[in-house]
Amino acid sequence: MQRKRLTLKDLAHQLGVHYSTVSRVMNPATRHMVAVDVAARVMQAADDLGFRPNRVAAGLRTGRSRLVGVVLPDIGNPIFPSILWGLEQVLAEQGYVPIVVNVGADTQRQRFIIDQMVGRQVDGLVLATAERDDAILDHCVKEGIPVVIVNRGEDIGRVSCVVSDNRLAMRLTVDHLVGLGHRKIGQISGPHTLSTGFLRKEGFIDAVKANGLKKAQWVSIDSTAYTREAGQVACAALLDRLPGLTAIAASNDLVALGCYDVLRSRGLRCPEDISVVGHNDMPFVDALYPALTTIRIPLREMGAHAGRLILQRIAEPASDGVSIVLRPELIVRGSTAAPAAEGKVSSAKVAAAKSTLAKT
């Protein structure tokens, strides 16, 4: 015969404390309201007796499931674990649990998954899938679902978002390359439908113009995705479009890996023939050969901000949207150097330039 499920009242009765005390201890968001020794005794007793809170019943009482849906476009992209880490830590402090789903780029699947999550009463959504003009986001806003977007933004700015400063990232990249002596620079931007791709392209164009490069000295090509394979296709096109280029600014580190592949296939060396700069500083790019110079984004901080924003939106659905823009950092490694045409530049001067830029 199945044993009767232990309730909060049962646990309170066995401990000889009030029901509300046990209720507060079982909720991470209110546990601090109970004396530490009492909370420890309740938690130990709950563990000994095999007590598990009935979240369905609690949700019916409070109208909250304490679940947050997190929708990712590509769970294989190495930037997302760090974002999830920061997000989960903040949610856990308030007794919330993230439900993470990988949806790809198919908008019909995105709509289906989001409707399924809402049907299962998630309290809010964190979307890493948003496009600049996003029908899925339209749907969430119309349905009144608390939502925050992370890593990407939208053109209208209707909801809270946490992003990195993509324009500044391109300025840091181009200033670094020009400082090393490069005068023919190509960029592989991301898809123009995404804020990251659009703003990195705009930032690159602004930066090359600010550095006095003429139109014949630079070119920007869109990649179809933030993948190694898309980077290979775009890099091949870039080399054909701008003969004699000496540096490439890639839209992310996976795209930069695609550039490495194409350079090797064409017998070109990095950085001796062509320097490469990535974006995101994903894990292990420092172990590549050559180690990748890249733009570091505070990904864990980005996730933590997203966690705080979705909790605020859940608590205050009518609150104004907040846009948080985080500052990127240039990390100089072995994939960038003075161009071959400028080979007379002393190694000491190049090293000094790298050291200075790494501190900016």
Side-chain angles (χ1 to χ4, degrees), residues 247-323:
I248 298 173
S251 56
N252 84 344
D253 294 337
L254 294 174
V255 170
L257 281 178
C259 294
Y260 274 28
D261 296 334
V262 172
L263 296 183
R264 278 194 297 268
S265 71
R266 295 198 180 192
L268 296 169
R269 300 166 301 165
C270 174
E272 292 86 354
D273 299 315
I274 296 180
S275 290
V276 177
V277 181
H279 199 117
N280 288 339
D281 195 30
M282 71 183 192
F284 307 119
V285 294
D286 58 333
L288 297 174
Y289 184 79
L292 184 64
T293 294
T294 188
I295 294 292
R296 176 177 292 166
I297 295 173
L299 296 171
R300 197 183 304 180
E301 183 181 350
M302 181 179 285
H305 279 299
R308 285 187 282 270
L309 288 177
I310 192 60
L311 290 174
Q312 178 186 8
R313 178 63 67 174
I314 291 168
E316 304 173 43
S319 60
D320 293 334
V322 175
S323 179

Side-chain angles (χ1 to χ4, degrees), residues 177-196:
L177 293 172
V178 171
L180 290 173
H182 293 277
R183 293 297 180 273
K184 274 200 168 183
I185 304 173
Q187 185 208 29
I188 301 173
S189 68
H192 71 276
T193 56
L194 306 180
S195 65
T196 47

Side-chain angles (χ1 to χ4, degrees), residues 197-260:
F198 177 77
L199 292 174
R200 286 171 198 174
K201 184 167 190 169
E202 292 286 301
F204 174 79
I205 294 171
D206 290 344
V208 292
K209 289 180 178 178
N211 275 282
L213 298 189
K214 298 177 181 178
K215 186 63 180 79
Q217 295 176 296
W218 60 270
V219 68
S220 178
I221 289 179
D222 294 348
S223 62
T224 57
Y226 288 121
T227 64
R228 183 173 183 172
E229 295 74 20
Q232 293 168 353
V233 173
C235 182
L238 188 62
L239 293 174
D240 294 339
R241 280 271 303 273
L242 189 62
L245 72 81
T246 61
I248 298 173
S251 56
N252 84 344
D253 294 337
L254 294 174
V255 170
L257 281 178
C259 294
Y260 274 28

Side-chain angles (χ1 to χ4, degrees), residues 114-166:
I114 285 172
D115 285 344
Q116 289 293 309
M117 284 185 162
V118 173
R120 286 163 173 75
Q121 296 185 327
V122 295
D123 291 337
L125 294 168
V126 176
L127 305 182
T129 53
E131 298 188 354
R132 294 170 56 209
D133 182 13
D134 196 301
I136 301 300
L137 198 55
D138 290 342
H139 172 62
C140 292
V141 171
K142 288 175 182 176
E143 293 296 320
I145 304 166
V147 61
V148 166
I149 51 181
V150 65
N151 190 48
R152 302 175 183 175
E154 58 151 351
D155 286 352
I156 303 175
R158 293 165 296 175
V159 300
S160 293
C161 68
V162 190
V163 296
S164 178
D165 192 333
N166 291 290

